Amino acid sequence: MELTKERKHKTGAYYTPKEWANLAVEYLKKTLNKPIEKYVFYDPAAGEGALLEALPEGCERYGTTLECDDVEILRSKGIPAWQFDFLNDKNINHLPHALFEAAQLRRLIIFTNPPYIKVTTGHARETYPTNDAVQLFYYRCAYELNASVIAGFNKMDIWQASSGSIFRENMGIYYNAKALFITPSMSWEGLKGKFPIAFDILDYGVDGGMKKLCYNDYTLEEKEKIEFKNGLYRHVSGEKKMTDKEMDNFFTEHVWKRIHGEGMTIIADVIE
């Protein structure tokens, strides 16, 4: 289904480019200690199924979406799918029982690209302390579905914006992160502006455990290296805090290899 500009603006729906979906699968393969086929995957914002379709044959996968047309497209691809409003439908028990069975076995992986919008009403907005749709999706996946891994695309707000500080604390973002790569918004059809879109993998006790991806081969000049401390990004060579705009430009225009934070070391690659 072709999304109209009006529909994109209203729902925040932008379909994941195939190249980034494939790369996300490769990152999951590298971090999971068990074969990827051992896990059950669910995308609560599946769209036409770009992420689920990128998974290897043999992976058990499910999708829900707002659009009935997308449900038919997903099913035509052999992906079990249902129409479900993940932000507003209260009864999450309407989802396939297989998801809850996988959660009990610590094998449920959320693999998603939630909408980048602000939410004013609905069940999720009334339940959790944020109006950010990405954060609301992650909260429901963690607290109501008891997912073992949340692997998703998102803007960098959940990592650096002051509005995401409660979310970062509640979800243990810094501690539970296992891997991250960053793509430029220009590579996503329909998105305007120049800003980073990240794919991050958060581990909440998955069966078999996960590796932390870490590369030691810095490619940046010393003055361009950055460290992560107390929730703020700073140049190693100076004390001045970078503004959000400066940070976005830095992410988009450079490649950087590591973020250091208490309890974690992750790979952070910018793909240009």
Side-chain angles (χ1 to χ4, degrees):
M1 180 184 69
E2 184 178 352
L3 287 173
T4 64
K5 289 183 179 180
E6 181 182 359
R7 189 62 180 163
K8 287 179 179 178
H9 178 74
K10 184 177 179 180
T11 65
Y14 292 91
Y15 295 150
T16 311
K18 184 176 181 180
E19 59 185 322
W20 302 143
N22 291 338
L23 185 60
V25 171
E26 292 306 310
Y27 270 63
L28 282 166
K29 287 180 179 178
K30 290 178 181 179
T31 53
L32 289 166
N33 286 328
K34 289 187 175 182
I36 194 170
E37 293 82 3
K38 298 291 186 182
Y39 301 96
V40 175
F41 291 83
Y42 168 53
D43 186 351
E48 294 184 358
L51 291 174
L52 297 175
E53 197 174 12
L55 291 165
E57 290 186 13
C59 285
E60 188 175 352
R61 51 195 178 161
Y62 300 89
T64 55
T65 179
L66 280 174
E67 307 290 347
C68 58
D69 288 345
D70 283 345
V71 171
E72 296 305 316
I73 292 172
L74 288 164
R75 290 176 177 175
S76 72
K77 296 177 178 179
I79 300 172
W82 296 265
Q83 192 172 14
F84 186 80
D85 187 341
F86 200 77
L87 290 177
N88 293 305
D89 288 351
K90 293 183 179 181
N91 195 348
I92 208 163
N93 292 322
H94 287 164
L95 294 174
H97 186 65
L99 300 183
F100 300 97
E101 290 181 339
Q104 289 181 340
L105 296 172
R106 310 306 303 160
R107 293 179 183 174
L108 177 61
I109 296 179
I110 305 301
F111 190 29
T112 190
N113 177 25
Y116 309 152
I117 58 173
K118 301 303 179 183
V119 180
T120 57
T121 60
H123 168 72
R125 177 65 185 90
E126 295 168 0
T127 305
Y128 301 104
T130 180
N131 66 348
D132 183 271
V134 171
Q135 295 179 28
L136 292 173
F137 267 77
Y138 283 21
Y139 270 133
R140 289 203 83 180
C141 289
Y143 292 166
E144 298 178 47
L145 281 178
N146 198 26
S148 299
V149 172
I150 299 177
F153 287 88
N154 45 256
K155 295 170 71 173
M156 290 302 294
D157 296 5
I158 71 168
W159 286 92
Q160 67 183 44
S162 58
S163 60
S165 60
I166 295 176
F167 172 78
R168 288 191 289 272
E169 181 178 355
N170 289 342
M171 295 290 289
I173 295 295
Y174 303 146
Y175 181 78
N176 293 312
K178 297 298 183 182
L180 169 74
F181 70 78
I182 301 166
T183 72
S185 59
M186 299 86 73
S187 64
W188 293 65
E189 183 179 356
L191 284 180
K192 294 182 179 180
K194 187 178 181 182
F195 56 89
I197 296 176
F199 173 75
D200 34 61
I201 299 175
L202 307 173
D203 176 22
Y204 295 102
V206 70
D207 177 46
M210 300 187 87
K211 306 178 187 71
K212 288 183 180 180
L213 298 186
C214 172
Y215 290 163
N216 294 318
D217 53 325
Y218 285 101
T219 60
L220 299 178
E221 297 296 328
E222 182 67 30
K223 65 180 180 180
E224 293 177 329
K225 295 179 186 177
I226 56 175
E227 66 179 354
F228 185 81
K229 186 176 181 181
N230 297 329
L232 303 178
Y233 293 99
R234 300 177 183 270
H235 280 291
V236 170
S237 58
E239 293 299 322
K240 179 179 179 293
K241 178 187 175 183
M242 299 178 74
T243 64
D244 287 347
K245 184 175 181 180
E246 289 173 336
M247 200 66 234
D248 289 347
N249 289 338
F250 185 86
F251 276 125
T252 304
E253 296 172 3
H254 296 78
V255 178
W256 51 283
K257 289 293 185 180
R258 296 178 78 185
I259 301 174
H260 294 287
E262 184 178 353
M264 77 164 188
T265 305
I266 63 177
I267 173 177
D269 283 340
V270 177
I271 314 297
E272 296 185 295

